[in-house]
Amino acid sequence: MNLPFAESWKIKMVEPIRRSTREEREQWIKEAHYNVFQLKAENVYIDLLTDSGTGAMSDRQWAGVMLGDESYAGATSFFKLKETIQRLTGFEYVIPTHQGRAAENVLFSYLVKEGDVVPGNSHFDTTKGHIEGRKAVALDCTVDDAKDTQLEVPFKGNVDPKKLEAALEKYGDKVPFIIVTITNNTAGGQPVSMQNLREVRAVADKFGKPVIFDSARFAENAYFIKTREKGYENKTIKEITREMFELADGMTMSAKKDGIVNMGGFIATRRQDWYEGAKGYCVQFEGYLTYGGMNGRDMNALAIGLDENTEFDNLQTRIHQVEYLASLLDEYHIPYQRPAGGHALFIDAPKVLTHVPKEEFPAQTLTIELYLEAGIRGCEIGYLLADRDPVTRENRFGGLDLLRLAIPRRVYTDNHMAVIAAALKNVYDRREQITHGVRITWEAALMRHFTVQLERITD
Ligand code: F0G
């Protein structure tokens, strides 16, 4: 008999979680104005809001915490982190920051000017925010495949080289760089193939443009290249990682994802001019160049986390769990962005709540229903998050409307996955009775989904 698959770690410390009653949840979500960001975490049973900063550190990372060097300048923890990043990515220059959006802020302060156009694949919302906030345009050149959630193709996160080339022809001098997000979070945690990264490099070289990778989930991307792309079966994750980064000029990193730390980020690049240009902004916004908003202990934990999470076993355990949840959803016929992504499953809400019109935000409605059903907190990646068009102020209904179930790293067991799937099935089974969604009673001008206040629409 073949032995079944099992996790590549065992558990040394646990944190209790608590179930609640439906009556309690009705009250709590109402008090939260039907916005799950406004819930108290203690009122959540299984928290799938994000995989960012929510992973469980290993015993080795905790040991690193105890050895942190908290010197203001020149801490050994910084040099350890820098050496690890250099070894994994091949980038010589490293600027630490307190998280991913801070890396964007520091680097884009140097690189992005008013009127610029930055092409890429489904820019993450803070990336877009840091571009649009500088009165520049984030131009989405993702492959059209990503828009069809039921299409099963291996690299749905790819950049469309034709769209990219057309953008570079049209905007020429206005393009400071191309940004490729690996994996593509917004399109469903979908990977970008090595071949596509090579194609992007070729187009970039043709137009003399640099390439940046938004690398929050680069290790998961490398795992998918190993397991889905021909020719990479026998390469290690670390070899694939090196090969990916050879195709970029630099990276921004939210270390809260594939670095498996609770807080942290960095910029790394081979370009001395970028380092010299951006470092002043690090001092101004983040901190001195050898800590950039991180504690010494956090830099130690990050260095160890990066090394651990570029090992196959760790990634296999993680992706296996996401795939297990996907297999249960398949059993219950619940539609999600196929194939299963790296860090999350994205439920195609309008395909579930067919009676809820788009103006009443189906994915947000499904998010609320799942919380009411079992105290599970996902989040909407859809029409609310898309904000309004900056010019017309109309809601942007052009993209997908998804409920994201992000799985924290090394935190929940497969039993929790079974609970999530069963809760979704219960909502799915009563979908015909869900005919109304929510309406906005208050919203902010930008990034409204964090603070938006909603009310339920009833007949
Ligand atoms: N880039 C990507 C692809 C991200 O997913 C995120 C964060 C960031 C940049 C910004 O990094 O949070 O460290 O400032 N994504 C989280 C999420 C918040 O839930 O997907 P940060």
Side-chain angles (χ1 to χ4, degrees), residues 149-150 152 322-340 345 347 421-422 424-425 428:
T149 59
Q150 299 312 292
E152 192 105 17
V322 178
E323 284 170 351
Y324 171 63
L325 178 57
S327 72
L328 296 176
L329 298 189
D330 284 342
E331 209 174 293
Y332 305 147
H333 309 291
I334 297 165
Y336 58 89
Q337 171 72 297
R338 310 184 70 87
L345 287 177
I347 313 299
L424 258 178
K425 182 187 186 306
Y428 189 67

Side-chain angles (χ1 to χ4, degrees), residues 102-119:
E104 293 162 1
N105 188 31
V106 169
L107 188 59
F108 296 2
S109 290
Y110 175 59
L111 291 178
V112 181
K113 315 252 167 330
E114 186 173 340
D116 280 355
V117 177
V118 182

